[in-house]
Amino acid sequence: MNTPVLPGLSGGQIVELQHFIGGKSCASSDGETLQIFSPVSEQIIASSARGTLDDVNLAVCAARAQFDGGPWRKLSGAQRGVLISKLADLVERDAEQLADMDAGCIGRVPIEPRLLDLPNAIETLRHSAGWADKIEGRTIPTSGYMGQPSLSYTLREPVGVVAAIVPWNTPLMITCWKLGPLLAAGCTVVIKPSEETPLSALRLAKLCQEAGIPDGVVNVVTGTGNVVGKALCEHPGIDKVTFTGSPEVGREIQRTAGPLFKRISLELGGKSPQIIFDDANLAAAAQGCAMGVFFNQGQICAAGTRILVHRDIASQFAQMLAGAAKSVKVGNPLEEGVQMGPVAKKGQFERVNRYIRQGIADGATVLAGGETQHQTGWFVQPTIFADANNDMSIAQDEIFGPVATVISFDDEEEAIRIANHSRYGLAATVWTTDSARAHRVAGKLCAGAVGINCWAPIDARLPWGGFKTSGLGRECGLSGVLSYTEEKVITVLT
Ligand code: NAD
């Protein structure tokens, strides 16, 4: 199998990546690097600087200097908006390359990030640019101060220097969900991309420089989570940590950054239900469910992999999904006609297969796919389980692979109860042609985003985030921008 080609390279060449700190590329202080492997060929495709505590300190100091009185802090909201808009234009100019960088690192079919991640990232930047001069306070009528009339009003101030810690599954889009709003609010940032996917974040930082955003406002330190990520969470120069990733690391971040009273927002995992009622348009529901399970090899936080189906149509619907799974062409994502590449890394391959074995051991029936033997590349088979119940680990745990579990229910109340019986609460979908039921059920689901007859509607203007173990706080839209501000109240006697 050919080595997948990252943009601008011919097969076999290795990209060498460095941090981007204070507007300059630099190696790590001890010269160490990390290797990045193609999930298709398992060959090295890139190496990145392996960040040290000194590198983190340098980057935080650069971001701090800009925040504490550098040229960035002197810009008005309108001026910041112009710069973020320019950045959006540059990302649009380089969109194909950026999409291909992300796709190449995790073995994704390039058309997916080109069609979804990049347009969303660009829109997020443009939407954020629009907010930059609209971050307003309020005047609040009070009963006065100790018998004297007074005027009270609020200001929204930027929270400070942000550490943005990002996962590998949709790296550029998630980086922009953080970068656009935090720049609009007037913050500065140190980005810590995932070990597997630092390319697009580094390019994005260089585009910030090209857009005219002052050096030091946007810094990128590459390296491991337990060195770079942890050091950022503990660094006294960091005011807020915005994290997207697993609940396990989210918990760890609360342990490190929480006691230091840093502001924390967490976008974590999910095990999102898709509820199919017996009056649903089954063809549309099957197509939507298949997308919710197979998109990005199922490596999506909002993957709708708990398929709850009314008992009368459960068997028919499970067969429809199994048919969809069998029709997916798995292979080298750069080959014509291939719809699904490998999962991103060896650990994911082992995790997916472990859950498939567990599902079988627990008594669920495999209708399509099943365990995959390893050859070259971390390919797994799209898998559909039927005859499952909601207590099985395949129904409760985030597998982060193309595996769905079909569970039947008898009535609306039971569907809601099963849907909400999960430690997660990120997204949910209701498939029905009864609009009153659709809204009734949507209102009762514990999820940050509910789609009615559509899976995981993501939009730059809509707040995104989870209930329960799926996270803390919201990204995107006005909620995302305000999450990078502190509210201050000022009172004057009148
Ligand atoms: P992960 O938690 O393993 O890693 C995420 C990031 O945290 C990486 O950059 C990693 O280096 C860093 N990290 C690791 N240990 C750290 C530590 N101790 N301190 C600070 N940082 C540390 O997650 P992943 O495997 O990269 O991504 C998959 C997870 O992300 C899934 O659970 C998925 O659901 C979740 N996710 C959620 C959303 C959302 O919007 N809710 C979006 C995408 C992905």
Side-chain angles (χ1 to χ4, degrees), residues 335-348:
E335 277 174 19
E336 186 82 18
V338 167
Q339 294 159 303
M340 189 188 283
V343 291
K345 48 186 174 174
K346 183 173 182 226
Q348 281 304 116

Side-chain angles (χ1 to χ4, degrees), residues 19 28-31 50-57 221-222 227-228 231:
H19 307 309
S28 73
S29 62
D30 61 7
R50 187 184 188 115
T52 63
L53 300 188
D54 287 342
D55 302 335
V56 169
N57 198 37
V221 179
T222 59
V227 174
V228 176

Side-chain angles (χ1 to χ4, degrees), residues 165-170 174 177 192-196 223-231 233 243-250 252-253 256 266-270 299-302 345 348 398 400 424 426 464-466 470 475:
I165 304 177
V166 180
W168 47 263
N169 64 332
T170 49
I174 289 174
W177 284 7
K192 190 260 175 254
S194 168
E195 290 83 330
E196 289 79 13
T224 63
N226 53 18
V227 174
V228 176
K230 185 166 178 282
C233 292
F243 170 76
T244 301
S246 62
E248 294 72 30
V249 176
E252 188 56 34
I253 285 173
T256 45
L266 303 173
E267 296 288 342
L268 308 177
Q299 302 167 131
I300 288 281
C301 54
K345 48 186 174 174
Q348 281 304 116
E398 183 182 44
F400 227 50
Y424 294 110
L426 188 58
W464 180 258
S470 291
E475 292 196 305

Side-chain angles (χ1 to χ4, degrees), residues 271-278 306-311 390 407-422 428-432 437 440-442 444-446:
K271 189 73 185 178
S272 298
Q274 303 215 49
I275 306 174
I276 297 97
F277 286 101
D278 52 359
R306 268 194 312 146
I307 315 279
L308 315 185
V309 193
H310 190 276
R311 196 171 301 280
N390 197 48
I407 299 165
S408 47
F409 64 83
D410 287 311
D411 56 29
E412 190 176 304
E413 202 179 314
E414 190 185 17
I416 294 166
R417 187 175 54 71
I418 298 174
N420 289 340
H421 183 67
S422 166
T429 304
V430 185
W431 296 95
T432 177
R437 167 149 71 190
R440 189 168 61 237
V441 173
K444 290 181 181 165
L445 292 173
C446 297

Side-chain angles (χ1 to χ4, degrees), residues 163 165 232-233 238-243 253 257 262-265:
I165 304 177
L232 284 168
C233 292
I238 293 290
D239 300 295
K240 167 163 176 150
V241 178
T242 171
F243 170 76
I253 285 173
K262 295 183 192 306
R263 279 56 185 138
I264 300 175
S265 64

